[in-house]
Amino acid sequence: MSSTENLSDVTTGTSTTPEGSDSTDDKAGTGNVGYADSRDTTEGRVYTVSGGDWDDVLADAQHDERMVINMGPQHPSTHGVLRLVLEMEGETVTQLRSVIGYLHTGIEKNCEYRTWTQGVTFVTRMDYLAPLSTEMAYCLGVEKLLQIEAPRRAQLLRVLLLEINRIGSHLVYIATGGMELGATTAMTLGFREREEVLHLLEHLTGLRMNHAFIRPGGLAQDMPADYREKVTDFVKTMKKRLPLYDKLFTGQPIWRNRLKGVGYLPVDACLALGVTGPVLRSAGLPWDLRKTEPYSCYDEFDFDVPVDNGADCWSRYLIRVHEMHESLKIIEQCLEKLEPGPVMVEDKKIAWPAQLSIGSDGMGNSLEHVKKIMGQSMESLIHHFKLVTEGFKVPAGQAYASVESPRGELGVHLVSDGGTRPLRVHVRDPSFVNLQSMPAMAEGGLVADVIAAIASIDPVMGGVDR
């Protein structure tokens, strides 16, 4: 008998096997006797089940077969272009592998083909939820090589912008993390508040994201005339709205039970994997570079570093909510400390754009500035042209500078050969380092808890695939 005679008729869906035949008989001579034929593939043994009792079929497999599934890449359930390969037994994850590299932006390499100032416009696109943190770390590294320090007003304004940006980043964590776990109201509220952040940053820097506002030596320009009023209004708005998150989530038993005990990562595991940020502080270690290794006047501010010892998704949620309140305290102190002064170093060979004045269209140079450099001083015109096209030279050497981003320690390692472009740029992005804790958090747990664990890390794939 031909082996094809035992197949069903695909046009009618009816069986064409001889009446009374037993599916366990090896009449086709294939050597496969039983309910399920099997074949070996690169992913393991695959069974083709046809008829019989399902319990008997599972018994034949002897429960030694595991299922390999792909989760992602998709958005926003896995926070961007992240693919997770899960090996599972039922709904329990036995092995997890993170597959990255879908963005392949090549930002670090691109920086080597641009001037030191132009590099800011590249690095700001890494962690696109906290672009000012990357700008800050990069500029601190350049300033170390130049052996200069930004003016006090610039340093305080940097802190102001960083803390506004930190609030916006944590709001996205609550919004996307909540939506992934079924709390769709979190998405609505989180992005409503984030719009307040983006509107304010646009007013202060000119752009909602990817600002390139923090420059080597200071800031691109000073704040608008009404910045104090706008920032004060923002603080008042956030103080009214943040308690709503406690009402909606912190005291909500479903939200608490969904996060408690999930994604457990104790402090020794965090230290072994190099994990920093809220994930490390949720395990009980109060490591925050703003306190432990202060930069840009952070040692002058009075604020707390939230710490918890739950080491799970619930603790990370509580810490981030607490951090937003602390950021508001820092912003208020910034407004008290700010005094008039320059926002860029005085050295005209570094300060770029030099003496920039915004035109009436809000974009180009003002007519007064153009008249001066083009009509009154040939030397000013030449200097401006050389500074913009070639850039300033940085003494040979290497430097490492780090800041506390919303996700953890963000460091930039810069190498200069004495030219107008970096020889090497390498960024220690906390999303990349923290992501390697996923197997430790997820293996042994349920597949549904994988989503909660990813959300608690809050990775940004722009920083991972830089």
Side-chain angles (χ1 to χ4, degrees):
M1 181 184 296
S2 171
S3 61
T4 57
E5 293 179 23
N6 282 335
L7 299 177
S8 61
D9 185 351
V10 294
T11 58
T12 63
T14 57
S15 175
T16 57
T17 55
E19 186 177 357
S21 64
D22 189 346
S23 60
T24 60
D25 294 339
D26 185 23
K27 294 179 181 179
T30 59
N32 293 320
V33 178
Y35 292 111
D37 294 338
S38 65
R39 68 181 191 279
D40 292 325
T41 70
T42 56
E43 298 293 338
R45 183 166 294 172
V46 176
Y47 290 92
T48 305
V49 181
S50 56
D53 185 79
W54 184 245
D55 292 333
D56 294 338
V57 172
L58 291 180
D60 292 342
Q62 297 178 348
H63 299 282
D64 62 351
E65 297 300 322
R66 294 179 180 178
M67 179 169 52
V68 178
I69 66 169
N70 281 298
M71 181 181 289
Q74 62 206 42
H75 186 80
S77 291
T78 45
H79 285 258
V81 281
L82 169 64
R83 172 182 168 221
L84 299 176
V85 179
L86 305 176
E87 187 177 286
M88 300 173 59
E89 281 187 359
E91 287 197 27
T92 302
V93 178
T94 57
Q95 188 179 26
L96 181 146
R97 285 169 289 171
S98 303
V99 183
I100 62 174
Y102 291 94
L103 282 179
H104 52 266
T105 49
I107 290 173
E108 292 169 331
K109 201 66 181 173
N110 273 312
C111 287
E112 299 170 16
Y113 295 89
R114 300 294 189 277
T115 66
W116 292 93
T117 302
Q118 288 171 333
V120 176
T121 62
F122 280 95
V123 297
T124 189
R125 286 164 167 78
M126 290 184 182
D127 185 343
Y128 40 77
L129 292 183
L132 289 160
S133 294
T134 328
E135 294 175 26
M136 181 70 172
Y138 175 84
C139 291
L140 286 177
V142 178
E143 288 163 9
K144 265 189 181 180
L145 290 170
L146 290 168
Q147 296 184 346
I148 62 173
E149 191 174 84
R152 176 172 174 80
R153 180 174 174 83
Q155 293 194 35
L156 291 172
L157 287 174
R158 285 176 173 184
V159 172
L160 176 75
L161 294 170
L162 285 171
E163 295 307 317
I164 294 171
N165 205 180
R166 189 183 310 276
I167 294 172
S169 178
H170 285 345
L171 286 169
V172 175
Y173 152 75
I174 294 176
T176 56
M179 189 192 67
E180 288 157 10
L181 299 178
T184 52
T185 311
M187 190 76 171
T188 308
L189 293 181
F191 274 88
R192 180 189 70 175
E193 266 69 85
R194 184 176 182 244
E195 277 301 302
E196 299 287 343
V197 173
L198 296 183
H199 284 320
L200 179 61
L201 288 176
E202 183 179 16
H203 183 73
L204 299 179
T205 70
L207 290 170
R208 287 162 62 90
M209 297 170 65
N210 304 333
H211 313 274
F213 190 75
I214 298 176
R215 304 280 179 87
L219 302 175
Q221 62 191 59
D222 206 343
M223 296 282 106
D226 61 346
Y227 81 95
R228 192 176 291 271
E229 176 190 339
K230 294 286 186 182
V231 174
T232 304
D233 290 344
F234 168 76
V235 172
K236 288 180 181 176
T237 302
M238 293 306 298
K239 281 188 173 181
K240 288 179 183 176
R241 294 184 180 178
L242 280 182
L244 179 62
Y245 291 89
D246 284 321
K247 291 180 181 178
L248 191 63
F249 297 112
T250 311
Q252 226 274 15
I254 298 176
W255 179 254
R256 182 176 63 249
N257 295 337
R258 186 68 185 84
L259 297 182
K260 264 199 168 179
V262 173
Y264 181 73
L265 194 72
V267 66
D268 55 344
C270 290
L271 295 175
L273 293 169
V275 173
T276 54
V279 181
L280 176 60
R281 294 192 285 275
S282 74
L285 187 64
W287 182 264
D288 188 316
L289 293 179
R290 296 174 296 173
K291 286 282 191 183
T292 54
E293 297 176 10
Y295 52 91
S296 194
C297 302
Y298 265 114
D299 52 341
E300 300 178 16
F301 290 88
D302 177 27
F303 66 99
D304 297 324
V305 176
V307 181
D308 202 85
N309 56 10
D312 56 6
C313 295
W314 174 247
S315 293
R316 290 160 211 150
Y317 159 75
L318 293 176
I319 283 175
R320 287 188 175 98
V321 172
H322 194 171
E323 279 187 3
M324 288 193 283
H325 289 282
E326 296 303 312
S327 291
L328 290 176
K329 286 168 54 178
I330 296 174
I331 291 170
E332 289 180 312
Q333 292 174 59
C334 275
L335 294 177
E336 294 174 4
K337 294 176 182 292
L338 277 169
E339 297 176 356
V343 294
M344 180 61 78
V345 291
E346 295 296 328
D347 190 348
K348 299 300 182 185
K349 293 185 177 180
I350 295 173
W352 182 82
Q355 300 174 351
L356 174 65
S357 301
I358 304 299
S360 57
D361 59 356
M363 297 172 63
N365 283 329
S366 67
L367 288 175
E368 293 78 11
H369 184 65
V370 174
K371 283 179 182 178
K372 180 179 179 183
I373 66 170
M374 295 193 71
Q376 299 176 14
S377 172
M378 177 58 71
E379 289 76 15
S380 296
L381 178 61
I382 293 171
H383 174 71
H384 187 89
F385 179 79
K386 297 271 285 183
L387 189 62
V388 172
T389 55
E390 291 183 4
F392 51 78
K393 290 186 177 181
V394 172
Q398 55 182 324
Y400 177 81
S402 56
V403 302
E404 185 69 31
S405 91
R407 269 153 283 285
E409 181 177 337
L410 172 64
V412 178
H413 181 212
L414 302 173
V415 182
S416 173
D417 59 357
T420 58
R421 300 176 180 178
L423 181 67
R424 288 289 183 273
V425 175
H426 180 64
V427 177
R428 183 218 185 266
D429 192 277
S431 292
F432 177 78
V433 180
N434 292 357
L435 198 60
Q436 65 183 345
S437 65
M438 270 305 300
M441 285 189 187
E443 289 175 2
L446 300 177
V447 64
D449 293 338
V450 173
I451 300 297
I454 296 174
S456 73
I457 296 175
D458 190 27
V460 172
M461 301 311 292
V464 176
D465 296 338
R466 63 201 177 284

